[in-house]
mmCIF file of all heavy atoms in Angstrom:
data_model
loop_
_atom_site.group_PDB
_atom_site.id
_atom_site.type_symbol
_atom_site.label_atom_id
_atom_site.label_comp_id
_atom_site.label_asym_id
_atom_site.label_seq_id
_atom_site.Cartn_x
_atom_site.Cartn_y
_atom_site.Cartn_z
ATOM 1 N N VAL D 187 136.245 -19.037 146.274
ATOM 2 C CA VAL D 187 137.652 -18.707 146.049
ATOM 3 C C VAL D 187 138.431 -20.019 146.057
ATOM 4 O O VAL D 187 138.407 -20.763 147.036
ATOM 5 C CB VAL D 187 138.183 -17.757 147.133
ATOM 6 C CG1 VAL D 187 139.676 -17.502 146.951
ATOM 7 C CG2 VAL D 187 137.407 -16.440 147.100
ATOM 8 N N VAL D 188 139.108 -20.304 144.954
ATOM 9 C CA VAL D 188 139.759 -21.606 144.787
ATOM 10 C C VAL D 188 141.221 -21.426 144.393
ATOM 11 O O VAL D 188 141.650 -20.344 143.987
ATOM 12 C CB VAL D 188 139.033 -22.459 143.728
ATOM 13 C CG1 VAL D 188 137.586 -22.712 144.132
ATOM 14 C CG2 VAL D 188 139.092 -21.782 142.358
ATOM 15 N N SER D 189 141.973 -22.508 144.495
ATOM 16 C CA SER D 189 143.367 -22.494 144.077
ATOM 17 C C SER D 189 143.451 -22.561 142.554
ATOM 18 O O SER D 189 142.472 -22.897 141.871
ATOM 19 C CB SER D 189 144.112 -23.681 144.686
ATOM 20 O OG SER D 189 143.636 -24.899 144.127
ATOM 21 N N ALA D 190 144.632 -22.286 142.025
ATOM 22 C CA ALA D 190 144.824 -22.343 140.576
ATOM 23 C C ALA D 190 144.586 -23.750 140.039
ATOM 24 O O ALA D 190 144.020 -23.932 138.951
ATOM 25 C CB ALA D 190 146.235 -21.869 140.219
ATOM 26 N N SER D 191 144.996 -24.759 140.793
ATOM 27 C CA SER D 191 144.817 -26.142 140.346
ATOM 28 C C SER D 191 143.346 -26.549 140.372
ATOM 29 O O SER D 191 142.909 -27.363 139.551
ATOM 30 C CB SER D 191 145.648 -27.089 141.212
ATOM 31 O OG SER D 191 145.245 -27.014 142.567
ATOM 32 N N GLU D 192 142.575 -25.999 141.286
ATOM 33 C CA GLU D 192 141.133 -26.280 141.327
ATOM 34 C C GLU D 192 140.399 -25.505 140.241
ATOM 35 O O GLU D 192 139.381 -25.965 139.714
ATOM 36 C CB GLU D 192 140.567 -25.899 142.696
ATOM 37 C CG GLU D 192 141.062 -26.761 143.839
ATOM 38 C CD GLU D 192 140.660 -26.214 145.191
ATOM 39 O OE1 GLU D 192 140.720 -24.983 145.383
ATOM 40 O OE2 GLU D 192 140.297 -27.019 146.082
ATOM 41 N N TYR D 193 140.915 -24.338 139.939
ATOM 42 C CA TYR D 193 140.253 -23.476 138.956
ATOM 43 C C TYR D 193 140.321 -24.047 137.542
ATOM 44 O O TYR D 193 139.366 -23.924 136.771
ATOM 45 C CB TYR D 193 140.904 -22.098 138.977
ATOM 46 C CG TYR D 193 140.262 -21.077 138.070
ATOM 47 C CD1 TYR D 193 139.167 -20.335 138.490
ATOM 48 C CD2 TYR D 193 140.758 -20.845 136.787
ATOM 49 C CE1 TYR D 193 138.578 -19.394 137.669
ATOM 50 C CE2 TYR D 193 140.169 -19.905 135.953
ATOM 51 C CZ TYR D 193 139.081 -19.186 136.401
ATOM 52 O OH TYR D 193 138.498 -18.257 135.563
ATOM 53 N N ARG D 194 141.430 -24.694 137.230
ATOM 54 C CA ARG D 194 141.658 -25.118 135.846
ATOM 55 C C ARG D 194 140.586 -26.072 135.317
ATOM 56 O O ARG D 194 140.007 -25.816 134.247
ATOM 57 C CB ARG D 194 143.052 -25.720 135.707
ATOM 58 C CG ARG D 194 143.501 -25.854 134.264
ATOM 59 C CD ARG D 194 144.993 -25.846 134.138
ATOM 60 N NE ARG D 194 145.404 -25.994 132.737
ATOM 61 C CZ ARG D 194 145.366 -25.014 131.857
ATOM 62 N NH1 ARG D 194 144.923 -23.826 132.213
ATOM 63 N NH2 ARG D 194 145.753 -25.216 130.603
ATOM 64 N N PRO D 195 140.278 -27.183 135.976
ATOM 65 C CA PRO D 195 139.200 -28.027 135.454
ATOM 66 C C PRO D 195 137.849 -27.321 135.466
ATOM 67 O O PRO D 195 137.019 -27.556 134.578
ATOM 68 C CB PRO D 195 139.213 -29.249 136.375
ATOM 69 C CG PRO D 195 139.944 -28.822 137.589
ATOM 70 C CD PRO D 195 140.916 -27.790 137.158
ATOM 71 N N ALA D 196 137.624 -26.443 136.446
ATOM 72 C CA ALA D 196 136.367 -25.696 136.486
ATOM 73 C C ALA D 196 136.254 -24.764 135.280
ATOM 74 O O ALA D 196 135.176 -24.609 134.698
ATOM 75 C CB ALA D 196 136.277 -24.900 137.786
ATOM 76 N N MET D 197 137.377 -24.160 134.893
ATOM 77 C CA MET D 197 137.380 -23.284 133.724
ATOM 78 C C MET D 197 137.024 -24.065 132.470
ATOM 79 O O MET D 197 136.201 -23.625 131.651
ATOM 80 C CB MET D 197 138.753 -22.623 133.578
ATOM 81 C CG MET D 197 138.900 -21.716 132.357
ATOM 82 S SD MET D 197 139.433 -22.586 130.837
ATOM 83 C CE MET D 197 141.158 -22.892 131.237
ATOM 84 N N PHE D 198 137.621 -25.225 132.309
ATOM 85 C CA PHE D 198 137.338 -26.024 131.120
ATOM 86 C C PHE D 198 135.892 -26.540 131.145
ATOM 87 O O PHE D 198 135.264 -26.677 130.092
ATOM 88 C CB PHE D 198 138.323 -27.184 131.004
ATOM 89 C CG PHE D 198 139.612 -26.813 130.335
ATOM 90 C CD1 PHE D 198 140.793 -26.739 131.052
ATOM 91 C CD2 PHE D 198 139.648 -26.521 128.980
ATOM 92 C CE1 PHE D 198 141.983 -26.386 130.436
ATOM 93 C CE2 PHE D 198 140.834 -26.162 128.346
ATOM 94 C CZ PHE D 198 142.004 -26.096 129.081
#
Side-chain angles (χ1 to χ4, degrees):
V187 176
V188 300
S189 68
S191 61
E192 293 171 319
Y193 184 85
R194 195 154 179 78
M197 178 273 287
F198 275 110

